[in-house]
Each structure stands twice: as structure tokens, then as C-alpha cells.
Amino acid sequence: MFTAVLAAVALLTGLSDAFWRMPCGARLTLERADPIVNPGAVAGHVHTISGGNGFGFSMDYNQARKSSCSSCPIKQDLSNYWTPKLYYMAENGTFEDIPQAGEYNGNTGGMTVYYQQRPGTKNKTLEAFPPGFRMLAGNPFQRNYTGLQAAPGNAVSFVCLDYSGTSKQYNEIPNVNCPDGLRAQIYFPSCWNGENDSPDHTSHMAYPSGHYDNGDCPTSHNRHLVSIFYEVIYSVDQFKDRWYGNTHPFVFAQGDRTGYGFHGDFVNGWDQEYLQKAVDTCTNDSGNMEDCHVFDNGLFTADEQQACKVPPSVNAAGTSSLEQVTGSLEALPGCNPPTSGPELAVPVANCPKASIGQPASYFTDVTASLDWYYAGCASDNYYTRTFTGASQSSDTMTVATCVNFCKSKGYTLAGLEWSRECYCDNRYSSDDRKPKTGVIGNCGMKCSGDSEEYCGAGSALSVYAACTGSTCQNVQYGVVGNSTSTAESKMKTKRHLVLQMPTQSAKKPVILLFDIGGVCVASPFQAIIDYEKSLSIPNGWINYAISAASPNGAWQQLERGEVALDASFFSAWKADLQQQSRWRTFYARHLASTRNESFAQAAEEAAFDVPAPPEIDTEKLYWEMMSYSRTMDPDMYPALQRLRKAADANPGSLVIGAMSNTSIFPDGHAFNDPKTADGQRHAEMKACFDFFVSSAHVGLRKPDDGIYKYTLDEIRKFVKGTGWEGDVEMGDVVFLDDIGGNLRTGKALGMRTIKVNIGKVGEAVAELESITGLSLREGKAKL
């Protein structure tokens, strides 16, 4: 059921727009766990869980507060947030997990959680979640549209993402091949009766009167809490060529083919006083956590979020082996046959029961064989190594190979990285590089010499240490029942994270490629629009004439650096803009569109009665275009600065480049002077990029595929210098441009593309947030 073109939800008059957006950059775990509905037992279906690592099959507020890390960024928020996993259902009846946004080269995907201050028309005081509070929204058994404002109902929705066009919102999983992913959304109730929970985990809460995300609370639930809602983006676009039949091929973990059964769970782990202060004082409508000074110096980095994990503990029914929840599956985990309703789904009777076993580990026990123990996952840096004593690399690297090498060199610490590298030392280069107590880390790369062992990852070391005296115990992490602490145990058997931990041949950086005009600075095409309006020239003529002159028009030659920016160019460009046959064709189209005629009728009329081509002062137009494009975009430029800051803070994790059609200004022109304020601003903008491909300097221009291939080579050169030893392909690049033809070439070559529309640059920034997991926007939320 189609509901609306995606737009910001209109707020009731007088209500606050304040909110903050919390992008949880990673998932904590992926398994059949739900301490609200199934405390102390295996849950009925698979959930993707984010938040603090105090999460367990049963848990309370105190356990949540003992978390040593979180896969969400705010350090004082140790809550847990979860939603069902989405799967692809193949024509042969098998299933395959669908990645979430952010699952990129070994990283796991998370979700975005919004905290909104919506006090209703009576402007009631909003309360923070109290200790012990928990709730869920939605019904996993729902299979039809209720029409209610609550969940299930309008509080559950889906957005088919189309970055080059119009994203649309639906009440169910749409039968549309979404080109840039499917975003599931759920809004939680905010009206409270004072009880921390209820037998059905929902009746202690109620939605406001009138609308699910706004309004006054009913008298039965008259205490108004801060509002939360979740966004989860599923990369269904990766399955665009695998559709069959007349309906979409997707199903949620509980067997829901419709999407009406999408649901979310929340267990509070906030410091209540801290949250209340944020609710009371974070009144900015930008949504950026950085604008809420309560959070200053209180955020986990993206790497820290990725490093925060809880190992899976669910054994498949009748076995002592981990239950498989990703990869190719014969059936959905648990007993969850796909159903489409409209009646409610019914739980399967006599379902074989899975069990909670010991937490998985991803180290090799060498305590007995080598007298060394696993010390944890440490951080590393390509430029300043954690271990500098000795090193080697090998395509047959194993844990024993590295430990024996370091022992032979007289060292007591051995670290494995990138699957094939070994580093030795007797100490860490600094304390902040050491494994963090209670934090598993992101050492999930298989060893090049043994696919059953783990050998660190990018910028992450699997560290083994020589046993000393009675100290010879492997560090083992896990949450079973209410156990959240790091346990030390002498492991005699391997029980590895198979499939649950992201395996990777290496950890590529996220690669972002920007156009300049119309993306990072104001579009020069707006100057063309203004110029045409000022002289009553039919809208679109100048752009049409430029495009029609391709590939060897004056404009194209200028952007390839083949001609100088002088009087000869302006004369040649003017000739292109006054070419009679092009003008006649364009004018016929103009008549057809303005007079509601067919093109054939308009063409016949234009053949006998067409005015002369417009007289255009090309030199004046050019400099108006260039002057217009000297203005930094108010949405993209701040986002670009934040991206640069994040890239500098985490070397090798993010590559930021530019590929732009340009022209070369004459020597001595003011635009070339770095001493002016304008020149300084542009120098600062260019400094945001790791590399800059200028069409006029390389002799290639968009949309010709040559410049894309040239740019890929530049990316490869740069990335190689960051420590990445593998290849980089077109598919690894996210390309932003404001011109459809440029994007089509990029997409045809395999790039992921984002269309930047005039006046809607903030939408593109929002997509960058989803890709990077960073908070970049200054605009209002789009619900």
C-alpha cells in the first residue's frame, strides 16, 4: 500500500522540532536473542542487536550499565536496540541474509536511532527513561495493514531509496526493486503509565492521541517520555537481478513476507540524569550530536563501535555447534515458515529447541602446545606500529607460525594482522593500543595459512603473550545469562565465530568521490537559469546547446584543457549557442511543451516560424557561472569538513577524493589568488580531499569513461599508500554528482552513485551518513 512520497513529517503547530540522531555504526551481535520476550532462553527468530555489551539472554538495568563498550556512539547510553533480520528467499526455497547499510569490507552494519522532544500541545515536561525501563513496538505476527496510528500500523513504514530520483514511503515491503536499498522505520510509543514493563511488554505504553509521533498523552498514560524511532537500511539493491515471480523476494526472520510484522525492542541502559539533561538542553533542530554539548567528549569512535561485540552462544537444535544465521540457509533459523497473511501468523507447534551454549571465541588455544596465551585484540596503525621489534609476512601465516617466529627472536608478544602479517615486541608502543578490558575487538580476519584461525584485521592485532609463572590463561569474552564480565579460561578446544564474525581478505577504506560544482559548491547551472530568465530565453536552451555540441564543442574542449580561456573560446562558444539547426530542434520541443502540442506539430510550426537564436554574451555568462560557484554549499561543505576530520582521526578508514569538470583561469586572475578570502576558502575546500582529478589538467572529462578509469588509478595509488594491499574496483567507490549523465557512466562502470539535486543537497548528505555511520547533517530529520 503506497502512502506518500518521502518528505519531512509535518509537525503540529507549537511543537518542538528538537531532536538528535544517533547513528549506531555497528551491530553488537546477530542471533536468536530477546531478553524482553524470551528471557533466559533462545528467541523465536533472529535479531540484529546494537548497543552496550552488557546485553544477555536475560539482563537488567545494572547489567546494561556494566557494559564496557557500545556499538552506538554515546558513552552514557548503554541501552540495547534490536530489530528482526531481513533475508532473501530464493526460488528454490533457500534463504540468504541481506546486509545492512554499513556492512562494508568486514565492518558490520547498525541502525540509526532518533531521540525527539515532542511534548504535545500542552507542552508537558518530557521525562528520560527510568532505570529498568523496557518496551517493544510492533507485532511480529502481524500480516496485514491495520490502518492504526500505532505499531502495527502507520508507526511502521518502509522507504524505497532512490538517490537519483524520488524515494517513496510505503506501509509494507514494496513490490519495487529499490535501487539504493530499503529503509525500515518504526516509531515507539511515548506515553507512559509509570510501570517499567508489562506482561505483554506494550500495554504500559501508549501512542499520543491523534498521530503516532505527535500529540498529547491519554489520561491512562499521562507521563510523556522522550520519543525514539529506528531506521534500518537493508541493502536489497544487491539482489536486484535475482527477483522472480510477481512479488518481492524478501522475508523477515519471523517469516514475515509483508513487512507489517516489523518490530523493535528497547532495553534502557542510559544514565538517567545524563539523558534527562540531554532531553532538557539539546534543543537544536539540526539532529547532530555535536550540537548537543552534553555529549562533548563522550562519544565512542567508529572503530570503537565496530570493536564492541558479544559473541554468539546459540547452539543449533540437538547439537553443540553454533546455529548458522547467515550465508545460505535451508530454512529460517527457528521455526518460521514464510507467511503473507492476511491473518496473523501462528507459532509452529513442537518446534525443535535450540540451546544456549558457551560463547564462541576467535582465537587459537596454544597454552599447552606453545606456552603462550591469547591476550586480546589490540589496535595498530600503519604509520606508527604497535609492535616494532621484528616482523614477517607470509601467505601461509598461522598463529603458531607467528608465535614461534617471535619466540625465536626473543620477544614475549606476538601480534597477527591482515591475515598474513606478524609483528613482535616486548611491550606495546602505548597503553591506548592495548586490548581493552571486556572489549572483543574487530580481529575477525581468517589466517592466510589456516582458514580455521583468526589473524587480526586491518589496524587490529590478534595478540598472544608468553606465559609467565602461573599466568597462562586465554582471555575469553561472552554473555551467557547474566554474565557480562571478561572471563579467563584455559581453553582446550576451538569454538570459533563462524559466519557471525565478518571475515575479510582485507579491510578496504570507504571511498567517497565528489563532483565540485552543484555538490560541494553552488551549481553554476543556477547561474545559467538566472541568465535565461533575465533575457526571457526559453528555459534549458543553453544547457541543451552545450550538450548537443558534444564531444567537440567549445565548452567540452575548454574542460579538457584543449583551448585557452580567452576571446577565441568565447567566440567559439557563442557560435555553438547560436547554431541554427540545434536551435530549431530545441524550439520545437519548447513549443510542444508550452502549447500542449505534439512534437511533430511543433516541429512543423518551427520550420516556418522560428525566431533567431538568442543573443548571448558568453564572456559575461561564463564569469557569472564561475562567480556563482564560488559559494560553498551550506549542507555539503560542513559535511565534507566532518568527513575530513573523521578520516584524519582514523587513517586508512576513509578516502575522500574529487573528480570535476574544470577550466583553467588565466594567470593573474583573482580566482587564482590564494591570498584573498575567496581563494583561502577554496584552498581549504581542496584540502579536504586526498586527491583531486581536474578535467582540464588531465585532458579527460565527464561523462566520458576515460576520466573514471583515470580516477580509479589515482584512487588505487593513494589507497596503496595507506597500507591497503588488495585491489580497488569501481564497485568500491561511492560517487556524488548533480548531473544524471555523469552518474549513468559511473553506474555503468560499477560505481555506487548518489544524485545531488539542486535545493536538496541535504538528502545526499543523509545518504553519506548511512554509508559512513558518521553524523554529518545540519538539516532537520526526514521521517
Side-chain angles (χ1 to χ4, degrees):
M1 180 182 298
F2 170 71
T3 56
V5 172
L6 181 62
V9 173
L11 301 179
L12 296 179
T13 303
L15 295 187
S16 171
D17 294 351
F19 74 101
W20 68 83
R21 181 190 306 107
M22 183 175 70
C24 297
R27 69 168 178 251
L28 183 73
T29 191
L30 177 67
E31 66 177 338
R32 287 202 284 149
D34 188 333
I36 296 181
V37 178
N38 305 102
V42 176
H45 54 270
V46 176
H47 289 113
T48 299
I49 299 150
S50 295
N53 68 344
F55 179 86
F57 291 94
S58 60
M59 62 180 297
D60 58 18
Y61 177 75
N62 290 332
Q63 181 173 332
R65 291 300 302 165
K66 290 178 182 177
S67 297
S68 55
C69 64
S70 176
S71 65
C72 298
I74 301 175
K75 290 184 177 180
Q76 289 300 329
D77 175 23
L78 300 175
S79 306
N80 290 111
Y81 311 86
W82 63 93
T83 56
K85 180 67 176 171
L86 186 66
Y87 291 89
Y88 167 80
M89 186 171 70
E91 194 168 8
N92 65 3
T94 60
F95 301 87
E96 185 178 336
D97 65 296
I98 295 176
Q100 290 176 207
E103 292 189 25
Y104 191 89
N105 296 310
N107 286 341
T108 60
M111 64 170 64
T112 300
V113 180
Y114 287 73
Y115 278 77
Q116 296 182 314
Q117 292 100 311
R118 300 286 175 87
T121 60
K122 298 176 182 177
N123 202 32
K124 291 196 69 172
T125 299
L126 295 178
E127 298 181 50
F129 300 123
F133 179 82
R134 53 185 59 195
M135 64 175 166
L136 62 83
N139 181 351
F141 301 107
Q142 191 70 37
R143 297 294 184 271
N144 69 348
Y145 177 59
T146 67
L148 301 174
Q149 284 297 318
N154 292 332
V156 173
S157 59
F158 298 88
V159 176
C160 185
L161 296 173
D162 183 354
Y163 302 154
S164 62
T166 301
S167 297
K168 295 181 180 179
Q169 184 167 296
Y170 303 80
N171 290 117
E172 73 289 322
I173 302 175
N175 285 318
V176 177
N177 212 326
C178 302
D180 294 294
L182 177 69
R183 188 172 73 206
Q185 307 174 148
I186 185 161
Y187 210 101
F188 282 71
S190 58
C191 299
W192 183 43
N193 69 1
E195 299 292 332
N196 280 344
D197 199 0
S198 52
D200 62 359
H201 314 295
T202 60
S203 59
H204 62 302
M205 297 296 294
Y207 283 90
S209 301
H211 202 272
Y212 64 83
D213 72 341
N214 229 325
D216 297 321
C217 288
T219 56
S220 60
H221 297 72
N222 63 353
R223 297 176 66 175
H224 215 147
L225 303 179
V226 63
S227 299
I228 62 171
F229 80 93
Y230 300 169
E231 289 180 348
V232 185
I233 298 178
Y234 300 99
S235 300
V236 297
D237 47 304
Q238 296 184 18
F239 297 82
K240 63 182 179 181
D241 298 323
R242 298 173 62 184
W243 282 48
Y244 57 90
N246 298 320
T247 60
H248 68 78
F250 308 120
V251 58
F252 278 109
Q254 73 272 26
D256 178 20
R257 295 273 288 119
T258 66
Y260 297 125
F262 185 69
H263 55 284
D265 296 64
F266 170 73
V267 170
N268 181 37
W270 278 94
D271 177 308
Q272 185 180 17
E273 182 178 346
Y274 190 92
L275 176 59
Q276 188 65 59
K277 186 176 181 180
V279 171
D280 293 341
T281 63
C282 297
T283 56
N284 198 301
D285 63 0
S286 72
N288 292 321
M289 293 184 299
E290 294 84 351
D291 292 332
C292 180
H293 297 298
V294 175
F295 304 144
D296 287 352
N297 303 315
L299 299 177
F300 290 112
T301 66
D303 284 344
E304 287 173 328
Q305 293 172 59
Q306 286 291 335
C308 191
K309 304 181 187 301
V310 168
S313 303
V314 174
N315 288 339
T319 75
S320 58
S321 300
L322 282 177
E323 180 177 65
Q324 182 179 346
V325 299
T326 61
S328 180
L329 307 172
E330 294 297 319
L332 293 174
C335 296
N336 294 289
T339 58
S340 300
E343 64 279 356
L344 291 175
V346 178
V348 174
N350 302 315
C351 180
K353 291 188 175 181
S355 61
I356 301 173
Q358 290 299 309
S361 63
Y362 55 106
F363 63 84
T364 300
D365 177 31
V366 292
T367 53
S369 59
L370 298 175
D371 206 30
W372 283 50
Y373 66 93
Y374 179 65
C377 184
S379 60
D380 197 15
N381 186 288
Y382 176 78
Y383 303 101
T384 58
R385 291 293 185 189
T386 300
F387 294 160
T388 60
S391 64
Q392 70 167 358
S393 61
S394 170
D395 289 333
T396 59
M397 183 63 67
T398 66
V399 171
T401 301
C402 182
V403 169
N404 283 326
F405 171 74
C406 292
K407 284 176 68 175
S408 71
K409 299 294 184 180
Y411 294 104
T412 58
L413 292 171
L416 297 108
E417 186 171 354
W418 288 112
S419 85
R420 63 186 304 275
E421 298 175 3
C422 174
Y423 298 90
C424 313
D425 214 319
N426 290 318
R427 62 180 181 85
Y428 295 86
S429 61
S430 62
D431 287 343
D432 63 353
R433 298 285 184 89
K434 293 180 178 180
K436 302 294 190 297
T437 301
V439 178
I440 286 181
N442 205 27
C443 293
M445 188 182 294
K446 295 293 184 67
C447 296
S448 59
D450 187 343
S451 62
E452 292 296 312
E453 294 186 342
Y454 290 88
C455 287
S459 301
L461 289 163
S462 294
V463 178
Y464 292 79
C467 297
T468 57
S470 60
T471 303
C472 198
Q473 295 177 316
N474 298 310
V475 175
Q476 171 77 356
Y477 304 88
V479 175
V480 179
N482 283 57
S483 172
T484 60
S485 61
T486 301
E488 305 285 349
S489 63
K490 191 164 184 175
M491 300 294 291
K492 296 301 181 184
T493 59
K494 295 180 183 179
R495 179 175 164 86
H496 294 296
L497 289 178
V498 179
L499 295 174
Q500 268 77 2
M501 280 296 296
T503 58
Q504 52 198 28
S505 57
K507 187 177 179 180
K508 294 180 184 177
V510 176
I511 302 169
L512 305 177
L513 182 63
F514 291 81
D515 178 35
I516 300 300
V519 177
C520 301
V521 300
S523 173
F525 293 109
Q526 185 63 51
I528 293 178
I529 293 172
D530 294 344
Y531 185 88
E532 289 177 333
K533 285 182 178 179
S534 70
L535 297 178
S536 299
I537 297 172
N539 180 50
W541 159 242
I542 294 174
N543 281 330
Y544 174 84
I546 291 173
S547 179
S550 182
N552 293 312
W555 187 264
Q556 287 80 14
Q557 293 180 56
L558 178 72
E559 291 192 330
R560 289 195 297 263
E562 296 170 356
V563 297
L565 184 60
D566 56 17
S568 296
F569 160 72
F570 291 120
S571 176
W573 190 27
K574 183 171 184 176
D576 285 342
L577 299 184
Q578 293 192 306
Q579 211 274 347
Q580 186 68 35
S581 62
R582 290 184 199 130
W583 167 247
R584 183 177 291 109
T585 300
F586 172 83
Y587 192 73
R589 293 180 179 179
H590 169 69
L591 290 179
S593 64
T594 57
R595 299 184 181 181
N596 196 28
E597 298 177 344
S598 69
F599 177 73
Q601 290 174 311
E604 183 177 355
E605 182 177 347
F608 295 96
D609 186 19
V610 58
E615 185 73 20
I616 296 172
D617 184 337
T618 51
E619 184 171 6
K620 177 182 178 181
L621 173 60
Y622 175 85
W623 290 114
E624 285 184 358
M625 292 170 64
M626 296 303 106
S627 296
Y628 200 94
S629 62
R630 304 300 282 182
T631 302
M632 302 296 176
D633 185 87
D635 290 309
M636 188 61 76
Y637 184 53
L640 189 60
Q641 291 175 307
R642 289 187 173 97
L643 287 168
R644 181 71 266 158
K645 183 177 179 181
D648 291 341
N650 299 278
S653 64
L654 185 63
V655 174
I656 308 169
M659 177 179 68
S660 183
N661 285 350
T662 62
S663 53
I664 300 173
F665 300 137
D667 291 339
H669 192 277
F671 286 172
N672 283 332
D673 187 355
K675 296 179 182 179
T676 65
D678 177 78
Q680 289 175 0
R681 277 199 312 274
H682 276 70
E684 290 170 359
M685 181 193 68
K686 291 187 72 173
C688 291
F689 299 109
D690 295 310
F691 61 89
F692 195 109
V693 176
S694 162
S695 68
H697 291 84
V698 302
L700 301 164
R701 70 181 294 275
K702 298 176 292 184
D704 300 332
D705 61 8
I707 193 170
Y708 296 79
K709 295 173 182 178
Y710 177 94
T711 301
L712 181 63
D713 287 339
E714 292 300 300
I715 293 172
R716 286 168 170 162
K717 292 175 186 176
F718 178 83
V719 171
K720 188 175 182 180
T722 68
W724 166 248
E725 296 181 358
D727 198 5
V728 174
E729 303 295 343
M730 288 289 189
D732 299 319
V733 180
V734 180
F735 173 45
L736 298 89
D737 204 300
D738 61 322
I739 298 177
N742 296 342
L743 292 168
R744 283 191 292 274
T745 300
K747 200 161 192 174
L749 291 169
M751 289 180 172
R752 180 174 177 179
T753 59
I754 296 178
K755 178 73 158 59
V756 183
N757 295 303
I758 294 179
K760 297 181 179 180
V761 179
E763 294 180 0
V765 175
E767 303 312 328
L768 285 175
E769 274 194 332
S770 297
I771 291 168
T772 63
L774 299 171
S775 181
L776 304 173
R777 280 183 280 184
E778 293 186 342
K780 296 181 180 180
K782 293 185 179 296
L783 312 182

